[in-house]
Amino acid sequence: SYQDQELTLNRNGRPEPAWMNLDYSPLLNDAGVPAGVMAVVVETTAKVMAEGRLRALNADLERQVLARSHERSLFWQLTSDLLGVLNGEGLFERTNPAWRAVLGWTEDEIRTTPIFELIHPADLDKAREGFKQLTDGMPVLNSINRYRCKDGTYRWLSRTGVPEDGKFYCSGRDITAEREAQIELTVAQEALRQSQKMEAVGQLTGGIAHDFNNLLAGISASLQVLEAR
C-alpha cells in the first residue's frame, strides 16, 4: 500500500495534481501461485490538501508565537518599568533588569528579599493592605509607595498588580521626579498663599494707618485752633 501523485485534467482542461492511495493484493490460483494482482485505488486529494493546509497553518502559528515571544522578551529586557512575578510569600520569583537600573538591586538580591523589607516603614500598612487584596484575588491599581534603593535612599513607585493562578504579576513605574515636582509645586503654592496673605495684611495695615493718619490730622488741626484761641 502506498500513496502516489498523478496529474489529472480539471474541468478547464488544465493539469493539476491528484493524490491516490493504492492498495495491491496478490490473486492466488488453486495452487497458491500468484496469478494476478488486485489493485484498489482511492483518491485522497482532498485529505492530502487539507493536511498540507493544516501543516502550513501550524507552521504560521508557530512563527507568530515565536515572534510574539521575542517581542515580549525584548519588552521585558528593555522597558523602564519594574516588572516582576510575586509569589504568595511576598518574594519575587522573577524580575526584569529595570529593578537594577532604578533601585540598584540585582535579580538574585530581589529574589531573596521579602517585598516588605524594600518598602519605606511609613508605607508598610498601605503595602500590606494591597498585598492582602492581591491574595484575595483582586487587582491592585496605581498603589504608590516608597521603595528602598541599594544605597539606602528611597524612590517613589506607582505599582499595579494582577493575581493569576496563585502568582501576582506586578509592574511599577518610577514617579520620583513627578512626586518631587508635585511637592515643590505644593510648597511654592503655599508660599504664594502666605505671600498673598502678607500682602493683604500689608494693604489692610496701610489703609488703617492712612485712615488713622487722617483722623490724627483732624484732631491736630482742632488742637491747633484751640491753642490759638
Side-chain angles (χ1 to χ4, degrees):
S1 176
Y2 72 96
Q3 188 163 272
D4 197 4
Q5 184 180 20
E6 298 181 355
L7 288 180
T8 60
L9 298 180
N10 60 21
R11 64 182 61 187
N12 296 322
R14 296 179 180 177
E16 62 181 12
W19 289 91
M20 305 292 180
N21 190 69
L22 295 90
D23 288 324
Y24 295 101
S25 300
L27 296 176
L28 306 179
N29 57 20
D30 296 337
V33 178
V37 175
M38 180 178 66
V40 178
V41 181
V42 178
E43 183 179 2
T44 58
T45 304
K47 178 182 177 183
V48 172
M49 299 299 290
E51 290 174 348
R53 288 192 295 270
L54 181 59
R55 285 193 298 270
L57 178 60
N58 289 335
D60 184 59
L61 289 175
E62 185 176 356
R63 285 193 297 270
Q64 292 182 29
V65 169
L66 290 175
R68 291 176 181 175
S69 298
H70 181 64
E71 290 174 355
R72 293 192 187 97
S73 178
L74 286 178
F75 177 76
W76 179 272
Q77 295 293 327
L78 301 179
T79 181
S80 59
D81 290 345
L82 285 74
L83 306 179
V85 181
L86 187 68
N87 62 25
E89 299 177 356
L91 291 170
F92 279 102
E93 296 181 353
R94 288 191 61 198
T95 54
N96 70 330
W99 283 83
R100 187 165 190 171
V102 176
L103 301 179
W105 302 105
T106 65
E107 184 174 0
D108 290 338
E109 290 169 335
I110 290 293
R111 187 183 296 115
T112 56
T113 304
I115 186 174
F116 300 112
E117 293 185 12
L118 299 173
I119 297 177
H120 194 283
D123 300 335
L124 274 177
D125 290 342
K126 182 179 178 181
R128 293 186 187 280
E129 290 177 3
F131 186 74
K132 185 178 184 304
Q133 186 173 331
L134 283 175
T135 56
D136 290 341
M138 294 179 292
V140 175
L141 305 177
N142 300 323
S143 176
I144 298 176
N145 295 309
R146 285 164 288 185
Y147 281 73
R148 179 166 53 90
C149 300
K150 191 171 183 177
D151 61 6
T153 61
Y154 286 87
R155 299 193 70 83
W156 290 92
L157 298 182
S158 175
R159 298 195 58 80
T160 296
V162 178
E164 183 70 28
D165 295 333
K167 307 290 184 182
F168 312 118
Y169 297 85
C170 307
S171 67
R173 183 169 59 91
D174 183 11
I175 60 170
T176 304
E178 301 172 16
R179 193 79 177 189
E180 291 176 348
Q182 182 63 40
I183 293 174
E184 292 177 0
L185 178 60
T186 301
V187 172
Q189 289 175 340
E190 182 62 26
L192 177 61
R193 283 193 293 270
Q194 292 296 329
S195 175
Q196 291 172 340
K197 288 179 181 179
M198 294 303 296
E199 182 180 359
V201 171
Q203 291 176 351
L204 178 61
T205 304
I208 294 174
H210 180 70
D211 294 340
F212 189 64
N213 187 55
N214 291 338
L215 179 62
L216 289 178
I219 296 173
S220 177
S222 298
L223 290 175
Q224 291 176 1
V225 171
L226 289 173
E227 185 180 4
R229 290 182 180 181

